[in-house]
Amino acid sequence: MLKQVMSQYNEAIMDTDRDRALQIVHVAVDLGISPEEIVFNVVVPAIELMMQSISENQGISLAQHFMAAQIASEVVDEMVPLFAKAPEIVGTVVIGTSQGDFHGLGKRIVSGCLKAMMVEVIDLGLNVAPERFIDEALARNAQVIAISSMMVHTATGENGCRRVRKLLKERDLEDRIRIAVGGAPYRFDPDLFKSVGADGWAENGVTAGRVITDLIREVRR
Amino acid sequence: MMTGMERLVAAIDGTPADRIPVFCNLLDQGAKELGLPLEEYYSSGEHVAEAQLKMRAKYGYDCLWSLFYVGKEAELLGCRKIIFAKDGPPNVGEMVIKKYDDIARLQVPDDITSHPAFAEELKCLRILKAEAGGKYPICAYLTASMTMPAILMGMEKWLQMLMMGPNDLRDELLTKCSDFFQKQVAAYRAAGADVLVYSNPFGSTDVIPRTFFNELSLPWMVRDLTPGGTSGIVYYCGSARFNNVIRSVIEHLGIGVFYLSPMDDIAEGKQLVAGRGLTCGVINDIMLLEWSKEEIRAEVKRMIAAGKQGGKFLFGTLVMPYNIPEENIRTMLEAAYEYGSFECP
Ligand code: B12
């Protein structure tokens, strides 16, 4: 039965049909599938399947990413309080857009996927100053600072990732905190993340989940 | 020597020319050219026109722009705050639609040309027309109805409304944006713009699924374009890919110029257009920040080799980032002139 739920849920996600996806989940819970199984055996695999389709180049549109993240985040919000015991958190991420950048969609998609993967996400919002990224990461004990930028000048500017890197170095925090970046400029120039001093980047929200959890594990090792 | 306009017309008609047309979209660079901060530069149509003419003469490419920045369109619909950077494009800094009720309040100006936010652009267009009209194509940028809400309420809220409704409000907003588009395109045509770049990321299946394209994107594009027709209209998805919808766009909209994504396969795009229009190969200009001279030349050569055969081809850029070194701009253009030339003009 779980298999059937999985395939129906996947189909609803690909069709960007939120109401159907939520209905499938609710019916499944009524039929006795546990909230843990819903999250770990339905929602997370759906995100992973999407990741696989992308790497196989079967065009997944932005709208599908958005809906997958949106629905995943809604289901997780609903299911986690019903877990038999509180889930183990993989780690903590502070996320925001770089200074001067007011484009929040990428960040929202990334956050939704991270949440489904049991990463605690602290959203610092738009136009975040480099100092604030560091201060909040320290205050929240985050392993990763995630910075989203839609334009070249906000990705490469002196008050973006470059400055966050510099501050980490100056304060001797590089062992404790990793930087992940993403957004359009990084997709047009796949090496750009290195020149701004980031530890990793991802092309889309679902792969961001994997890249960021890997960075968290690096720090936690 | 041919003019840019003669080259463009030759490329559209498939008649002989000295070389393919080359479009280099320098916007913010105009401020550098005049030695002005961006905010001051964009406050005056005279500045923009002067810099556009200067840069075209200096580099020798084939187009002129009347576009200041995309956020201008939001100003026409009531946005009063633009955020200026020192080394990048201005951005909308205030959402005209903050809550759903604002959709009902949104007003499309009756006469766009008399709107204060349009005055400087109109000034710019008049100067360009007087100085270079008929010699160099004057380009205008217009946001499609389905993309316009992204700068009125933010891409995040808009995508949510598009995908999850409420559909009656979505349609009310789209109707207003489409009415606005129709007025805007008429105003630009009347003011003498030759090339009308119709920008619609929602016309790409990188952004929305194919079924959505068929059921919603296409009908709204038909509504946008029906009263004014497709003369001068360029299909452009904000640099998202669109080879796989070219056939539908030709069939349902009758558009004849395709400004591809750098990620689209140029040869494939040209094959799909199949002589029914002009295919524009577009360079991934963000890489011009980093590429060496050799890398730039090799990329331009590769692109032109993929599209030049048989003509009906143009070489172009996206919105060139402000910090691309001048030397790299020249390297790209010289390569485009060289590889894009036809042996017997
Ligand atoms: C849609 C779009 C528009 C729309 C809507 C803009 C808006 N307000 O959001 C319109 C047509 C209005 C527009 C306008 C402009 N745009 Co625009 N636009 C695009 C387009 C096609 C998609 C952007 C988008 O929303 N993507 C959806 C989001 C979700 O994708 P994303 O940000 O890439 O995020 C994904 C990944 O990158 C990743 N990710 C994101 N963040 C993070 C963070 C981390 C940590 C990780 C790991 C991963 C990650 O996951 C996300 C989900 O899959 C891109 C080109 C492209 N193909 O990407 C150009 C693009 C972003 N635009 C560009 C520009 C320049 C502009 C303008 C400034 C032009 C101008 N001169 O006025 C204006 C600005 C308008 C404004 N805000 O005032 C440039 C930016 C590059 C540059 N030259 O600086 C681009 C790249 C196009 C280009 N190549 O020229 N644009």
Side-chain angles (χ1 to χ4, degrees):
Chain A
M1 185 170 76
L2 193 61
K3 259 219 172 91
Q4 207 187 338
V5 174
M6 261 176 85
S7 80
Q8 288 175 341
Y9 180 83
N10 280 334
E11 216 172 278
I13 296 278
M14 287 303 184
D15 291 345
T16 66
D17 192 336
R18 167 179 173 265
D19 295 346
R20 197 165 92 225
L22 293 182
Q23 195 199 348
I24 291 162
V25 166
H26 292 146
V27 170
V29 172
D30 287 345
L31 291 175
I33 293 183
S34 74
E36 287 86 345
E37 279 177 309
I38 296 282
V39 172
F40 297 116
N41 299 335
V42 178
V43 175
V44 174
I47 291 180
E48 276 162 1
L49 192 77
M50 216 173 211
M51 232 185 299
Q52 198 185 333
S53 317
I54 296 162
S55 62
E56 286 163 7
N57 221 346
Q58 313 172 8
I60 305 277
S61 66
L62 164 67
Q64 284 160 313
H65 282 268
F66 172 72
M67 290 304 285
Q70 176 67 31
I71 297 165
S73 138
E74 282 184 50
V75 174
V76 168
D77 277 346
E78 206 182 308
M79 292 299 131
V80 169
L82 307 177
F83 277 18
K85 65 178 189 6
E88 203 169 309
I89 294 297
V90 176
T92 304
V93 175
V94 292
I95 193 167
T97 69
S98 47
Q99 191 148 38
D101 204 310
F102 295 82
H103 302 91
L105 178 57
K107 171 172 76 64
R108 170 155 164 191
I109 298 176
V110 172
S111 301
C113 296
L114 283 171
K115 220 157 104 185
M117 296 166 118
M118 295 302 128
V119 174
E120 188 188 6
V121 183
I122 290 147
D123 190 344
L124 305 180
L126 308 175
N127 186 28
V128 179
E131 291 74 14
R132 199 165 152 238
F133 273 117
I134 310 264
D135 294 345
E136 295 282 348
L138 286 174
R140 307 297 189 117
N141 237 327
Q143 294 80 28
V144 174
I145 292 175
I147 313 173
S148 179
S149 313
M150 194 187 85
M151 291 163 299
V152 169
H153 73 284
T154 54
T156 60
E158 57 201 29
N159 286 319
C161 182
R162 286 200 168 113
R163 174 113 185 112
V164 177
R165 168 58 67 203
K166 193 162 163 259
L167 291 171
L168 284 183
K169 204 174 263 167
E170 279 170 15
R171 299 193 197 173
D172 206 15
L173 292 169
E174 286 181 300
D175 288 346
R176 278 173 60 188
I177 300 172
R178 294 277 188 276
I179 310 174
V181 291
Y186 299 101
R187 292 195 290 111
F188 283 86
D189 179 357
D191 279 332
L192 189 62
F193 80 100
K194 289 184 211 152
S195 64
V196 299
D199 296 299
W201 79 289
E203 192 172 356
N204 54 65
V206 292
T207 28
R210 176 171 297 166
V211 168
I212 289 174
T213 45
D214 285 350
L215 290 175
I216 292 175
R217 291 202 178 94
E218 260 180 57
V219 175
R220 290 209 141 170
R221 233 196 334 250
Chain B
M1 244 232 326
M2 295 176 83
T3 64
M5 189 62 111
E6 287 166 341
R7 287 186 188 112
L8 180 64
V9 170
I12 290 170
D13 295 346
T15 52
D18 56 350
R19 62 165 170 79
I20 59 169
V22 174
F23 277 30
C24 180
N25 305 327
L26 298 174
L27 302 176
D28 305 332
Q29 287 80 358
K32 225 187 281 187
E33 202 59 38
L34 302 190
L36 293 173
L38 278 153
E39 183 162 8
E40 191 184 338
Y41 172 68
Y42 281 128
S43 68
S44 145
E46 274 119 4
H47 289 159
V48 176
E50 183 191 345
Q52 280 294 321
L53 292 163
K54 257 188 157 165
M55 292 191 290
R56 203 225 55 79
K58 168 168 142 184
Y59 292 114
Y61 52 77
D62 295 318
C63 63
L64 291 165
W65 272 98
S66 73
L67 168 68
F68 290 29
Y69 46 85
V70 175
K72 268 257 167 229
E73 284 177 78
E75 290 179 63
L76 285 168
L77 289 177
C79 167
R80 277 162 313 194
K81 188 171 163 211
I82 296 292
I83 294 166
F84 289 89
K86 68 173 190 354
D87 56 355
N91 270 213
V92 167
E94 174 200 50
M95 292 303 153
V96 173
I97 300 170
K98 296 191 189 69
K99 45 188 188 324
Y100 285 169
D101 289 352
D102 295 336
I103 292 173
R105 276 194 284 272
L106 185 72
Q107 271 194 344
V108 179
D110 274 337
D111 178 13
I112 286 175
T113 53
S114 66
H115 194 286
F118 201 68
E120 293 304 321
E121 227 170 315
L122 209 53
K123 234 185 251 171
C124 171
L125 265 162
R126 289 209 178 103
I127 299 171
L128 294 179
K129 206 70 204 164
E131 298 291 324
K135 293 201 285 283
Y136 290 94
I138 299 170
C139 308
Y141 175 100
L142 297 108
T143 302
S145 57
M146 194 168 276
T147 295
M148 192 65 200
I151 48 173
L152 298 177
M153 62 197 291
M155 187 70 174
E156 214 180 322
K157 289 215 179 91
W158 173 232
L159 195 55
Q160 177 168 332
M161 185 182 259
L162 257 190
M163 304 313 295
M164 298 191 247
N167 290 353
D168 53 339
L169 278 180
R170 173 198 76 190
D171 291 345
E172 185 183 346
L173 179 55
L174 280 167
T175 304
K176 289 187 176 183
C177 290
S178 184
D179 290 348
F180 174 69
F181 176 86
Q182 294 175 0
K183 288 188 177 172
Q184 222 195 168
V185 77
Y188 276 113
R189 283 198 169 107
D194 306 294
V195 173
L196 305 156
V197 176
Y198 180 57
S199 173
N200 193 10
F202 290 94
S204 158
T205 57
D206 278 353
V207 176
I208 38 88
R210 182 71 201 215
T211 46
F212 187 101
F213 176 88
N214 293 337
E215 287 160 20
L216 266 140
S217 302
L218 262 182
W220 283 100
M221 291 195 280
V222 169
R223 188 186 189 282
D224 288 352
L225 296 169
T226 297
T230 55
S231 161
I233 296 277
V234 177
Y235 195 77
Y236 171 62
C237 297
S239 82
R241 295 176 295 182
F242 65 78
N243 268 359
N244 63 342
V245 301
I246 286 179
R247 282 206 188 95
S248 303
V249 170
I250 296 180
E251 207 173 292
H252 296 280
L253 302 173
I255 291 178
V257 186
F258 298 89
Y259 211 81
L260 302 184
S261 161
M263 312 308 181
D264 274 317
D265 181 320
I266 292 175
E268 183 192 73
K270 214 180 152 183
Q271 210 172 9
L272 288 161
V273 174
R276 293 172 289 178
L278 177 68
T279 308
C280 311
V282 178
I283 193 165
N284 178 0
D285 53 21
I286 291 180
M287 291 308 295
L288 295 175
L289 289 162
E290 290 202 6
W291 273 334
S292 67
K293 191 169 179 172
E294 292 68 37
E295 285 169 316
I296 297 172
R297 287 186 61 82
E299 176 61 2
V300 174
K301 184 176 177 187
R302 178 195 71 78
M303 290 171 59
I304 293 181
K308 183 178 148 191
Q309 189 69 27
K312 297 202 173 190
F313 183 67
L314 176 152
F315 176 92
T317 72
L318 296 169
V319 192
M320 296 273 278
Y322 184 83
N323 281 324
I324 297 174
E326 218 176 282
E327 198 189 322
N328 292 4
I329 301 177
R330 285 195 197 277
T331 301
M332 173 192 76
L333 290 171
E334 275 155 24
Y337 304 150
E338 182 185 328
Y339 298 121
S341 74
F342 294 106
E343 263 109 301
C344 342

